[in-house]
Amino acid sequence: MRPPGRLSASVDDRPATPTGSLAIELRKVSKWYGDFQVLREVDLEVHRGERIVVCGPSGSGKSTLIRCINRLEEHRSGTIWVEGEELTSDLRRIEKIRSEVGMVFQSFNLFPHLTVLDNLCLAPQWVRRLPRAEAERNALALLARVKISEQAMKYPGQLSGGQQQRAAIARALCMNPRIMLFDEPTSALDPEMVKEVLEVMSELAEQGMTMMVVTHEMGFARAVADRVVFMDEGEIVEDAPPEEFFSNPRSERTRQFLSQILDH
Amino acid sequence: MARGESDAAREARPGAWRERLASLVFDPRVRGIALQAVLVVAIVAFAYEIVSNVTDNLARQQIASGFGFLERTAGFDISQRLIAYSNTMTYGRAFLVGLTNTLLVAGLGIVLATFIGFAVGIARLSSNAVISSLAAIYIEVLRNIPPLLMLFAIYFAVLKGLPDPRNSVVLPFSSYINVRGLTVPKPLMAPGFDAFAIAVLIGLGLVAALAIWSRRHRLATGRTAPVVPLAVAILLGAPAAAYAVAGMPFTFEAPTLGRFNVTGGLTLLPELVALTTGLTLYTAAFIAENVRSGIEGVPKGQTEAAAALGLSRAQAMRLVIVPQALRIIVPPLTNQYLNLTKNSSLAVAIGYPDLVSVFSGTILNQTNQAIEVILITMAVYLVLSIATSLLMNWFNARMALVER
Ligand SMILES: Nc1ncnc2c1ncn2[C@@H]1O[C@H](COP(=O)(O)OP(=O)(O)O)[C@@H](O)[C@H]1O
Ligand SMILES: [Mg+2]
C-alpha cells in the first residue's frame, strides 16, 4: 500500500493545520546548537501506518530530527505537527503527545531499579491512571509478544542486550502509542542479538504501526520501509521508496553513503 | 605399604616441606592473617603500656579512679532538661540530661537538614536560572563558613539582639519572647490525659492506614478516593470525642512576667534555636551538594526515557531519578549525619547544655576524672556513629540494584 502523494502542489497555499491522514508533518524545521545548524529547513510528511527508515552519516542530525518529534529536543523555527497537534512549548500538550509517541533508544534506557514488569507498568499507571491489574495484564501480553514473558520479574541488569531492547520496545508499546520512534535500536547490540530485535520491529510494522526508524540495517529498510530518508549535514537529501533508493539514488551523496555502508 | 615407596617418600620429604612452607609464606591469605596478628599484639602491648602508666600517675597524684563518681550528687543546675532533673540528683543523671540534649539537637538537625538539603539540591538543578543561582549561592556561602562562626553569628548577632526579660515582647496566650528564649504556657497532664493520648494515637494510626490504603487503591484502580477530608475529620474528631467523654486533658501552667525574669511555663532556649539552626543550615549545604551530584549521576537517558513515556518532570524525578540517585546520595549522607552529630559539641561555645558541655565540661571539672569522663563521652559518640552507620547501610542495601 503506497501512501497518497503530496497533499497540495505548493507548500505555501496549504492550510495552517494539516489534513487527517498525516501522523507527522514537519515544515521548514531548523535547529541550532550554538552557531552550528543541526537541522536545515527540514520538510517531512509521515502518513498513518507508514514506515520510514532514516539513514545518513554519523552527525548528520538523524537523532536530533526524531527527538524533535516528541520534543526531547526543541526546534527553533518551522512547525511540527504530531497527530494534528502542533508542538509548542505548552507542557501539558507535550506530555500528552509524548504519551502517544513511543520511543526506543540506542541504549535501551530501561529503569534499572524496577523489574521488567514494573518498567512496563509505570507509565500506564501514573500517566494513564490504569488500575494495576489492567496495566499488568497489558504488560504481560506485550512481553509475550516480544517473547520475553519469563523475564517479567527480573531486573534489567539481569537481561541480555537483545532482551533489554525488546523489553524497552514493550515498555513503549504499553502506552498504546500511535507512533513509534526508534533511534538506532540495534547499534548497541552484539550481532547475534540484532536479529531478534529486528524481528520484533518487523512484526510491529506488519500490524500497521506508524514507525520512524533511524538505522543502518539496510536489509530491514529494504524489507519493511515504505520510504527511506537519507540525511546529510542536517538536510534531507533523498526521500524515496526503498527500491528506488537502493537501485537508483538521485544524489551523489546518497550514492557515496550507500557504497560505503553496503561494502562491508 | 611397600618398602620402596616409603623410602621414596622419606627422600622427597625435605624438599616437599620446604616447598609447602614457601607456598604458605607466599599465600596472600596466610600473609594477611600473620600481619593482622602482629598488629593486634603490637596494639595490645601499646595499650597496656599506656594504661599502666596512667594508673601509676593517677595513684601518685592521688586522683580517684573508677566510675563511682556517677553516683555522687551533681550539685549544679542545667538550663534545659528533657528528663526530670534537679541539682540534688547524681552525676549519672546529669550525664543523661546532657545526652538527651545532644540527641535532641542531632535528631532535629538531621531531619531538618535532610529536608532543606534535598530541596536546595533539587533547586540547584532547576531550569529556572534565578532559583538555581540562589541555591548555588546558598551552597557556596554556607559550605565555606566555619560552623562555629555561623553559630556565633546566629547566637550573638541575631538572638542576643532580643530584648532583656524586663522588656519582654508579650505574645497572645501569656507567651513571652526575650533574650532568654520563647516562653509558652506549659501543658500539665490532667485526669483526661490518658483517654486523650489514646484517642490521638488511634487517630494517627487510622490516618496512616488510610494513607497506605489510598495509595494502594490509587495504583490498583487508577482512581483517587477523596481521603483528605476524611483524614482531617479523624484527626480532629478523635481528640474532640475524647475531650467530650473524658474532659480536659491538660491544665496549663502560665508563665508570669516578674520584675527580672519570666517564671514558669515552658522555655525554648535561644541556645537550642541557634545550635539547631546553625547545624541545620551548615549541614544542609553539604547534603544539597550530595543530592545535586547524586541526581547528576543518574544517566541522562533515564530522564529522557521517563519524559518519552509522558511522565511529568515531577513524576520522573520522584519515580525514576531520585530512587536511583539515592544509591549515590546515601553513603555521603551518612557522613553528613555523623558530622552534624559530632559538630553538635560546638554547643559548648554558646552554652547549650549538650553532652560535651555538661559531662566533659562541668562534670569533668568538678570530679577531675578526665580519663573516665572522656572515655564515656567517646564511647557515646562511637555508639551513635555505629548506630547511624548500621541504619544507613541497611537502607542502602535495600536500595541496591540487582545486577547480573
Ligand atoms: N547537545 C548537543 N550540543 C551540541 N551539539 C550537539 C548536541 N547534540 C548533538 N550535537 C551535534 O549535532 C550534530 C547532529 O547530532 P545527531 O542528531 O546526534 O546526529 P546523528 O544521530 O545523525 O549521528 C552532531 O554534529 C552533534 O555533534
Ligand atoms: Mg544518533
Side-chain angles (χ1 to χ4, degrees):
Chain A
M1 186 201 80
R2 304 282 344 127
R6 294 226 151 215
L7 288 172
S8 61
S10 152
V11 168
D12 294 321
D13 59 21
R14 277 189 302 174
T17 44
T19 347
S21 72
L22 285 180
I24 304 169
E25 178 171 9
L26 281 77
R27 294 250 315 260
K28 291 201 183 309
V29 171
S30 294
K31 178 175 174 65
W32 284 262
Y33 284 121
D35 288 340
F36 175 68
Q37 188 167 5
V38 231
L39 296 180
R40 298 163 185 270
E41 306 214 328
V42 173
D43 284 311
L44 182 72
E45 290 176 354
V46 180
H47 292 262
R48 296 232 168 93
E50 231 185 341
R51 277 82 57 159
I52 309 289
V53 161
V54 182
C55 60
S58 165
S60 57
K62 309 179 296 293
S63 297
T64 308
L65 177 73
I66 71 164
R67 289 159 61 87
C68 279
I69 293 169
N70 64 355
R71 216 179 178 82
L72 287 182
E73 304 284 353
E74 205 171 320
H75 60 285
R76 191 187 300 172
S77 66
T79 319
I80 301 177
W81 287 276
V82 177
E83 292 289 344
E85 291 253 17
E86 186 181 339
L87 277 186
T88 62
S89 46
D90 180 348
L91 269 178
R92 289 278 181 101
R93 223 149 150 204
I94 292 171
E95 277 161 25
K96 180 166 180 301
I97 287 175
R98 281 173 176 168
S99 72
E100 290 175 2
V101 178
M103 179 139 192
V104 175
F105 301 86
Q106 178 175 348
S107 48
F108 327 137
N109 295 348
L110 289 171
F111 305 133
H113 61 303
L114 300 177
T115 62
V116 168
L117 185 64
D118 286 340
N119 262 276
L120 269 65
C121 289
L122 187 75
Q125 284 191 262
W126 290 96
V127 179
R128 293 256 191 271
R129 304 202 150 242
L130 282 193
R132 172 78 190 183
E134 195 180 332
E136 248 179 49
R137 209 163 41 242
N138 293 346
L140 289 172
L142 280 164
L143 286 177
R145 221 165 111 187
V146 302
K147 305 184 185 67
I148 48 170
S149 297
E150 68 287 353
Q151 315 292 346
M153 300 319 287
K154 289 198 188 155
Y155 287 87
Q158 300 170 298
L159 270 55
S160 76
Q163 291 170 329
Q164 288 192 51
Q165 193 60 296
R166 284 184 282 156
I169 294 173
R171 179 177 68 179
L173 291 176
C174 267
M175 291 295 281
N176 265 322
R178 305 219 235 167
I179 301 169
M180 284 286 284
L181 307 174
F182 295 81
D183 191 0
E184 307 210 25
T186 56
S187 301
L189 295 178
D190 292 336
E192 73 270 19
M193 295 171 185
V194 169
K195 201 166 144 257
E196 63 193 46
V197 171
L198 290 181
E199 264 168 21
V200 165
M201 290 168 60
S202 301
E203 276 167 30
L204 198 58
E206 275 162 32
Q207 288 151 7
M209 175 67 75
T210 308
M211 292 166 68
M212 211 166 143
V213 184
V214 176
T215 185
H216 291 154
E217 295 291 335
M218 289 303 137
F220 176 81
R222 241 186 258 272
V224 175
D226 295 307
R227 277 157 51 206
V228 182
V229 169
F230 173 69
M231 281 189 78
D232 194 18
E233 295 182 349
E235 285 177 318
I236 292 190
V237 176
E238 190 111 16
D239 179 350
E243 317 85 62
E244 204 176 310
F245 182 86
F246 289 111
S247 58
N248 191 18
R250 279 178 305 153
S251 120
E252 180 55 32
R253 281 194 274 181
T254 317
R255 241 166 280 157
Q256 265 180 7
F257 174 75
L258 282 177
S259 71
Q260 275 170 16
I261 201 168
L262 297 178
D263 267 356
H264 53 231
Chain B
M1 195 192 288
R3 197 194 154 89
E5 270 174 22
S6 77
D7 275 351
R10 205 174 298 136
E11 270 171 26
R13 199 173 293 142
W17 186 84
R18 211 174 299 138
E19 215 167 86
R20 214 160 40 214
L21 183 69
S23 78
L24 272 184
V25 169
F26 289 105
D27 182 338
R29 244 175 347 131
V30 175
R31 279 190 163 198
I33 292 171
L35 204 66
Q36 288 181 28
V38 170
L39 215 58
V40 166
V41 169
I43 289 173
V44 168
F46 183 64
Y48 175 79
E49 185 62 22
I50 287 183
V51 170
S52 61
N53 236 319
V54 167
T55 343
D56 286 354
N57 282 344
L58 290 180
R60 222 172 298 134
Q61 294 172 38
Q62 298 186 324
I63 294 177
S65 57
F67 295 94
F69 73 99
L70 288 173
E71 305 291 330
R72 300 211 304 269
T73 305
F76 63 92
D77 286 315
I78 303 179
S79 58
Q80 176 186 293
R81 308 162 294 268
L82 298 180
I83 55 176
Y85 173 81
S86 73
N87 59 19
T88 56
M89 291 184 179
T90 60
Y91 283 128
R93 189 73 184 175
F95 161 80
L96 287 180
V97 173
L99 176 60
T100 45
N101 285 344
T102 287
L103 290 177
L104 175 71
V105 161
L108 282 176
I110 283 173
V111 171
L112 293 173
T114 306
F115 277 111
I116 298 178
F118 269 76
V120 174
I122 290 174
R124 179 75 188 82
L125 294 171
S126 165
S127 51
N128 181 323
V130 176
I131 294 179
S132 89
S133 14
L134 282 179
I137 292 171
Y138 174 92
I139 293 170
E140 286 316 317
V141 170
L142 290 211
R143 274 200 313 171
N144 290 303
I145 296 179
L148 184 58
L149 188 64
M150 204 155 83
L151 274 188
F152 282 163
I154 297 170
Y155 186 63
F156 291 115
V158 180
L159 295 175
K160 282 287 161 190
L162 290 167
D164 61 35
R166 236 178 311 181
N167 300 314
S168 292
V169 180
V170 181
L171 301 173
F173 303 109
S174 14
S175 302
Y176 303 93
I177 200 164
N178 61 40
V179 72
R180 302 228 178 114
L182 168 70
T183 308
V184 295
K186 183 180 185 178
L188 300 171
M189 284 186 220
F193 182 79
D194 287 348
F196 181 79
I198 290 169
V200 168
L201 285 180
I202 290 176
L204 286 176
L206 280 178
V207 168
L210 192 66
I212 293 169
W213 174 84
S214 126
R215 192 187 146 85
R216 290 231 180 101
H217 176 78
R218 213 325 255 117
L219 286 176
T221 66
R223 271 186 295 278
T224 323
V227 291
V228 173
L230 188 56
V232 172
I234 293 175
L235 277 183
L236 296 179
Y243 173 75
V245 174
M248 189 64 188
F250 300 111
T251 58
F252 287 96
E253 176 201 289
T256 49
L257 181 58
R259 277 213 326 165
F260 301 108
N261 210 347
V262 177
T263 48
L266 194 67
T267 300
L268 178 65
L269 290 185
E271 289 79 21
L272 173 63
V273 174
L275 189 61
T276 309
T277 315
L279 291 176
T280 298
L281 294 182
Y282 178 71
T283 312
F286 289 89
I287 293 180
E289 265 306 271
N290 295 341
V291 169
R292 182 194 59 77
S293 61
I295 289 175
E296 280 182 341
V298 177
K300 214 161 154 275
Q302 293 290 308
T303 317
E304 292 181 348
L309 285 165
L311 293 166
S312 70
R313 272 180 66 98
Q315 286 174 328
M317 206 50 156
R318 186 159 58 93
L319 301 168
V320 176
I321 308 304
V322 169
Q324 293 183 61
L326 278 181
R327 287 177 299 127
I328 311 173
I329 296 172
V330 167
L333 198 60
T334 314
N335 277 337
Q336 295 312 331
Y337 289 173
L338 298 181
N339 280 344
L340 188 148
T341 308
K342 287 183 283 187
N343 284 340
S344 72
S345 60
L346 291 173
V348 79
I350 56 169
Y352 174 80
D354 81 320
L355 177 66
V356 171
S357 166
V358 169
F359 196 57
S360 309
T362 313
I363 296 181
L364 192 155
N365 265 329
Q366 293 192 0
T367 62
N368 267 331
Q369 293 200 262
I371 308 279
E372 291 84 351
V373 167
I374 298 288
L375 276 182
I376 292 178
T377 313
M378 278 164 51
V380 166
Y381 281 98
L382 188 65
V383 168
L384 289 181
S385 294
I386 291 174
T388 312
S389 299
L390 285 179
L391 195 70
M392 298 300 273
N393 283 348
W394 169 80
F395 183 70
N396 212 29
R398 273 186 43 139
M399 302 298 306
L401 287 185
V402 180
E403 299 281 357
R404 172 199 285 282

